[in-house]
Amino acid sequence: KLYDPWKELIEFYQVYQDGSVNYKRTMEFFDVMPEHAIEPEDRKPLDLDGSVEVKDMSFVTDTGIRLLDRINLSYMKKDDLVEQEAFLRGSFEEYAQKLGPGHPITLRCMTYLGFVYMEQGRNEEAKSLFTECLERYVRFVGRSGDIEIACLTALGGISVGEGHFKEGESQFMKALELSRYHLGENNRMTLSVILSLASHYMEMGDLEKAEPL
């Protein structure tokens, strides 16, 4: 007859062994050589000091599993961001003067400039610009479109980053509603908003809302 402490010890040891075996099998499953070389064999890795921009990048495994689907990303040096800010600010002022403060091209320049501010960590300036852009869009354009959706999504991201989760959720939900209605469920911008909203729920630990997305 085994007394309770010994029973607990045996049960713990069994759980520990099961966990060890499962962990080992999982690690063995992923212990494969990568398809592409990580480092070149005939030279040292290049030390590049430049910008990187990727458009529509996809990756599909041999079994047809799509791991990446139409990914867009960009990385710019700080100097590049400063140059881009100057260019966009000049374009924004020029278009505002020639086309008007509420022309879609002017508003698009405002949106791009807001994204540059976000990249630089200037969230308050970005928030102010996105908010003004939304107000101009409603006043001058009237109908919903990708500029309004982009501004709402950006504002949602800033709100979440500042810890205003309810406000961020509301902005993401409004952006998603507009995107689904005007652009369609499978539109790239709609999918981007869904991903942003799902990431927000994951940060909050709300898996119940994140999983359906």
Side-chain angles (χ1 to χ4, degrees), residues 162-204:
E162 293 177 343
H164 307 305
F165 297 115
K166 288 295 183 182
E167 183 180 1
E169 179 182 16
S170 176
Q171 289 161 332
F172 281 137
M173 291 297 293
K174 186 175 181 181
L176 182 57
E177 179 184 354
L178 291 174
S179 191
R180 279 174 167 165
Y181 182 79
H182 293 283
L183 304 178
E185 184 70 32
N186 296 321
N187 182 271
R188 186 180 306 174
M189 180 167 280
T190 304
L191 297 176
S192 176
V193 178
I194 290 174
L195 180 60
S196 297
L197 183 58
S199 299
H200 161 60
Y201 287 140
M202 291 290 288
E203 287 184 21
M204 292 180 62

Side-chain angles (χ1 to χ4, degrees), residues 42-56:
D42 55 345
R43 60 171 174 79
K44 293 183 178 180
L46 298 176
D47 185 11
L48 300 177
D49 185 20
S51 302
V52 177
E53 184 173 1
V54 176
K55 291 184 178 181
D56 293 332

Side-chain angles (χ1 to χ4, degrees), residues 34-187:
E35 181 179 350
H36 307 290
I38 298 177
E39 294 185 356
E41 297 180 356
D42 55 345
R43 60 171 174 79
K44 293 183 178 180
L46 298 176
D47 185 11
L48 300 177
D49 185 20
S51 302
V52 177
E53 184 173 1
V54 176
K55 291 184 178 181
D56 293 332
M57 179 175 67
S58 300
F59 183 78
V60 182
T61 66
D62 294 336
T63 57
I65 299 175
R66 185 173 292 274
L67 299 177
L68 299 175
D69 186 26
R70 295 179 299 178
I71 300 297
N72 297 319
L73 60 90
S74 62
Y75 169 78
M76 289 177 286
K77 297 184 299 181
K78 186 176 181 180
D79 292 342
D80 292 337
L81 289 172
V82 172
E83 292 177 5
Q84 191 170 20
E85 177 192 349
F87 171 77
L88 287 172
R89 183 177 293 280
S91 299
F92 164 59
E93 293 173 354
E94 181 180 357
Y95 287 133
Q97 184 178 5
K98 292 183 177 180
L99 302 177
H103 194 280
I105 295 179
T106 305
L107 298 179
R108 197 172 296 278
C109 278
M110 288 183 71
T111 306
Y112 292 156
L113 185 57
F115 285 131
V116 171
Y117 285 160
M118 288 180 67
E119 289 286 337
Q120 294 173 327
R122 297 157 63 183
N123 286 343
E124 287 302 318
E125 293 173 86
K127 186 192 300 185
S128 176
L129 203 60
F130 287 131
T131 302
E132 182 183 352
C133 185
L134 279 175
E135 292 173 353
R136 290 192 187 189
Y137 198 88
V138 172
R139 186 166 74 249
F140 291 103
V141 180
R143 66 184 188 280
S144 297
D146 60 335
I147 297 175
E148 183 180 10
I149 296 166
C151 288
L152 284 168
T153 304
L155 286 170
I158 293 174
S159 296
V160 170
E162 293 177 343
H164 307 305
F165 297 115
K166 288 295 183 182
E167 183 180 1
E169 179 182 16
S170 176
Q171 289 161 332
F172 281 137
M173 291 297 293
K174 186 175 181 181
L176 182 57
E177 179 184 354
L178 291 174
S179 191
R180 279 174 167 165
Y181 182 79
H182 293 283
L183 304 178
E185 184 70 32
N186 296 321
N187 182 271

